[in-house]
Coordinates of all heavy atoms in Angstrom, one line a residue:
S1 N 7.2 -1.1 2.2 CA 7.5 -0.1 3.2 C 6.2 0.4 3.8 O 5.2 0.6 3.2 CB 8.2 1.0 2.5 OG 7.4 1.6 1.6
D18 N 7.0 2.9 -11.9 CA 7.7 2.3 -10.8 C 6.9 1.1 -10.2 O 7.4 0.3 -9.4 CB 7.8 3.3 -9.6 CG 8.7 4.5 -10.0 OD1 9.8 4.3 -10.4 OD2 8.1 5.6 -10.0
V19 N 5.7 0.9 -10.7 CA 4.9 -0.2 -10.2 C 4.8 -1.2 -11.3 O 4.2 -1.0 -12.4 CB 3.4 0.3 -9.9 CG1 2.6 -0.8 -9.3 CG2 3.4 1.5 -9.0
A20 N 5.5 -2.4 -11.0 CA 5.5 -3.4 -12.1 C 4.3 -4.3 -12.0 O 3.8 -4.6 -10.9 CB 6.8 -4.2 -11.9
L22 N 0.5 -5.6 -12.0 CA -0.7 -5.0 -11.4 C -1.5 -4.2 -12.5 O -2.1 -3.2 -12.3 CB -0.4 -4.0 -10.3 CG 0.3 -4.6 -9.1 CD1 0.5 -3.6 -8.0 CD2 -0.4 -5.8 -8.5
P58 N -2.4 -9.2 -0.1 CA -1.4 -9.6 0.9 C -0.3 -8.6 1.1 O -0.1 -7.7 0.3 CB -0.8 -10.9 0.3 CG -1.5 -11.2 -1.0 CD -2.4 -10.1 -1.3
P59 N 0.4 -8.7 2.2 CA 1.5 -7.7 2.5 C 2.6 -7.7 1.4 O 2.8 -8.7 0.8 CB 2.1 -8.3 3.8 CG 1.1 -9.2 4.4 CD 0.3 -9.7 3.3
G60 N 3.1 -6.5 1.2 CA 4.2 -6.4 0.3 C 3.9 -6.5 -1.2 O 4.8 -6.6 -2.0
T61 N 2.7 -6.4 -1.6 CA 2.3 -6.5 -3.0 C 2.3 -5.2 -3.7 O 1.9 -5.2 -4.9 CB 1.0 -7.3 -3.1 OG1 0.0 -6.7 -2.2 CG2 1.1 -8.8 -2.8
G62 N 2.5 -4.1 -3.0 CA 2.6 -2.8 -3.7 C 1.4 -1.9 -3.5 O 1.2 -1.0 -4.3
K63 N 0.6 -2.1 -2.5 CA -0.5 -1.3 -2.2 C -0.1 0.2 -1.9 O -0.6 1.1 -2.5 CB -1.4 -1.9 -1.1 CG -1.9 -3.2 -1.4 CD -2.8 -3.8 -0.3 CE -2.1 -4.2 0.9 NZ -1.1 -5.2 0.8
T64 N 0.9 0.3 -1.0 CA 1.4 1.6 -0.7 C 2.0 2.3 -1.9 O 1.8 3.5 -2.2 CB 2.4 1.5 0.5 OG1 1.8 0.8 1.5 CG2 2.8 2.9 0.9
L65 N 2.8 1.5 -2.6 CA 3.5 2.0 -3.8 C 2.5 2.5 -4.8 O 2.6 3.6 -5.4 CB 4.3 0.8 -4.4 CG 5.2 1.1 -5.5 CD1 6.4 2.0 -5.1 CD2 5.8 -0.2 -6.1
D116 N -3.1 3.0 5.6 CA -2.5 1.6 5.6 C -3.1 0.8 6.7 O -3.4 1.4 7.8 CB -1.0 1.7 5.6 CG -0.3 0.5 5.0 OD1 -1.1 -0.4 4.5 OD2 0.9 0.4 5.1
I195 N 8.8 -7.3 -12.1 CA 9.2 -6.7 -10.8 C 10.7 -6.8 -10.7 O 11.4 -5.9 -10.3 CB 8.5 -7.3 -9.6 CG1 7.0 -7.0 -9.7 CG2 9.0 -6.8 -8.3 CD1 6.1 -7.7 -8.7
H199 N 13.6 -3.8 -10.1 CA 14.5 -3.7 -9.0 C 15.9 -4.1 -9.4 O 16.9 -3.8 -8.6 CB 14.0 -4.5 -7.9 CG 12.8 -3.9 -7.2 ND1 12.9 -2.9 -6.3 CD2 11.5 -4.1 -7.4 CE1 11.7 -2.5 -6.0 NE2 10.8 -3.3 -6.6
G223 N 6.1 -8.5 -4.3 CA 7.1 -7.5 -4.8 C 8.1 -7.1 -3.8 O 9.3 -7.0 -4.1
A224 N 7.7 -7.0 -2.5 CA 8.6 -6.6 -1.5 C 9.7 -7.6 -1.3 O 10.8 -7.3 -1.0 CB 7.8 -6.3 -0.2
A227 N 12.2 -7.3 -4.2 CA 13.0 -6.1 -3.9 C 14.1 -6.5 -2.9 O 15.3 -6.1 -3.1 CB 12.2 -4.9 -3.4
Ligands
LIG301 P1 2.1 -3.7 3.3 O1 0.7 -4.2 3.3 O2 3.1 -4.7 4.0 O3 2.2 -2.3 3.7 P2 2.1 -3.1 0.5 O4 1.2 -3.9 -0.3 O5 1.7 -1.7 0.9 O6 2.5 -3.9 1.8 P3 4.5 -1.8 -0.5 O7 4.8 -1.2 0.8 O8 3.8 -1.0 -1.5 O9 3.5 -3.1 -0.2 O10 5.7 -2.6 -1.1 C1 6.9 -2.6 -0.5 C2 8.0 -2.5 -1.5 O11 8.1 -3.7 -2.3 C3 7.9 -1.4 -2.5 O12 8.4 -0.2 -2.0 C4 8.6 -1.8 -3.7 O13 10.0 -1.7 -3.5 C5 8.4 -3.3 -3.7 N1 7.2 -3.7 -4.5 C6 6.1 -4.3 -4.1 N2 5.2 -4.5 -5.1 C7 5.8 -4.0 -6.2 C8 5.5 -3.9 -7.6 N3 4.3 -4.4 -8.1 N4 6.4 -3.3 -8.5 C9 7.6 -2.9 -8.0 N5 8.0 -2.9 -6.7 C10 7.1 -3.5 -5.8

Side-chain angles (χ1 to χ4, degrees):
S1 65
D18 298 301
V19 186
L22 303 183
T61 46
K63 298 182 292 297
T64 307
L65 188 66
D116 202 3
I195 295 173
H199 290 280

